[in-house]
Amino acid sequence: SHASEHPFNNVKVKISNEQALTDGSFDPAADLMMSKPFMGVELKAETVKTLEFTRIAAIGKMNLKLTDMVEGEVIKSVKFSLAEGTHFTGPVSLDLENGDYTLANEGTLNYVELSGELAANADRTAIFFTCFPGDYSGKYTIEVTTDKATYSKTATLSKALSFSAGNVLNFN
């Protein structure tokens, strides 16, 4: 009865643009995985059913070199924005019957904003986030707010950032 009222081929979820800063990983609440059952091995004359998981979200590991920081600053937020009109975070339609998904074009945002508290390292600080899979190029802005100051950089990517579902893209 649930499937007739809420078809499993059009489940609406989203990759949030607002995520939590974590030390050494991405916000687990911003992850997006889909599972489907499949028949497993036969065990004692009974076929065991298991789940096969597919991660839809791509994972970014942005390594920031915060050379202007004062020793002991604590990062409060990081906003990573891409060119206007870029579909970076937002709605996803899951087709749970066929194990497929579609990334939305409407209702999407061109940025991810992470907040919380993270001890910063002027040499290199890793910021993790999830986003839509895809190739992204053009202008970008990074804004880091600490307990003492706000730092910002706008530039153009020298080469496209290629995020793929379930994989981590490590970039500086």
Side-chain angles (χ1 to χ4, degrees), residues 17-151:
N17 69 302
E18 296 177 6
Q19 301 177 22
L21 280 169
T22 61
D23 189 11
S25 187
F26 57 88
D27 179 356
D31 194 12
L32 186 53
M33 295 182 73
M34 179 169 57
S35 65
K36 64 180 179 180
F38 74 97
M39 302 303 279
V41 296
E42 193 165 303
L43 186 63
K44 294 185 181 178
E46 183 181 315
T47 302
V48 178
K49 294 181 181 177
T50 60
L51 293 174
E52 178 181 290
F53 289 91
T54 302
R55 177 167 274 124
I56 295 166
I59 302 162
K61 179 184 178 188
M62 179 171 48
N63 300 296
L64 300 179
K65 190 166 177 122
L66 304 169
T67 55
D68 295 337
M69 259 184 25
V70 175
E71 187 66 34
E73 281 186 76
V74 175
I75 295 174
K76 297 287 191 172
S77 69
V78 176
K79 184 176 182 181
F80 179 53
S81 304
L82 295 168
E84 282 296 322
T86 300
H87 307 292
F88 199 53
T89 57
V92 179
S93 294
L94 302 179
D95 180 346
L96 298 177
E97 291 176 15
N98 299 305
D100 200 9
Y101 64 91
T102 305
L103 304 173
N105 284 329
E106 291 188 28
T108 61
L109 295 167
N110 67 323
Y111 68 92
V112 62
E113 187 163 8
L114 302 108
S115 58
E117 286 196 5
L118 183 65
N121 180 339
D123 184 43
R124 191 163 306 267
T125 299
I127 305 295
F128 290 86
F129 60 88
T130 63
C131 64
F132 283 172
D135 294 331
Y136 300 99
S137 58
K139 280 192 159 186
Y140 70 91
T141 301
I142 298 172
E143 187 174 288
V144 178
T145 302
T146 72
D147 57 340
K148 296 185 173 46
T150 297
Y151 306 95

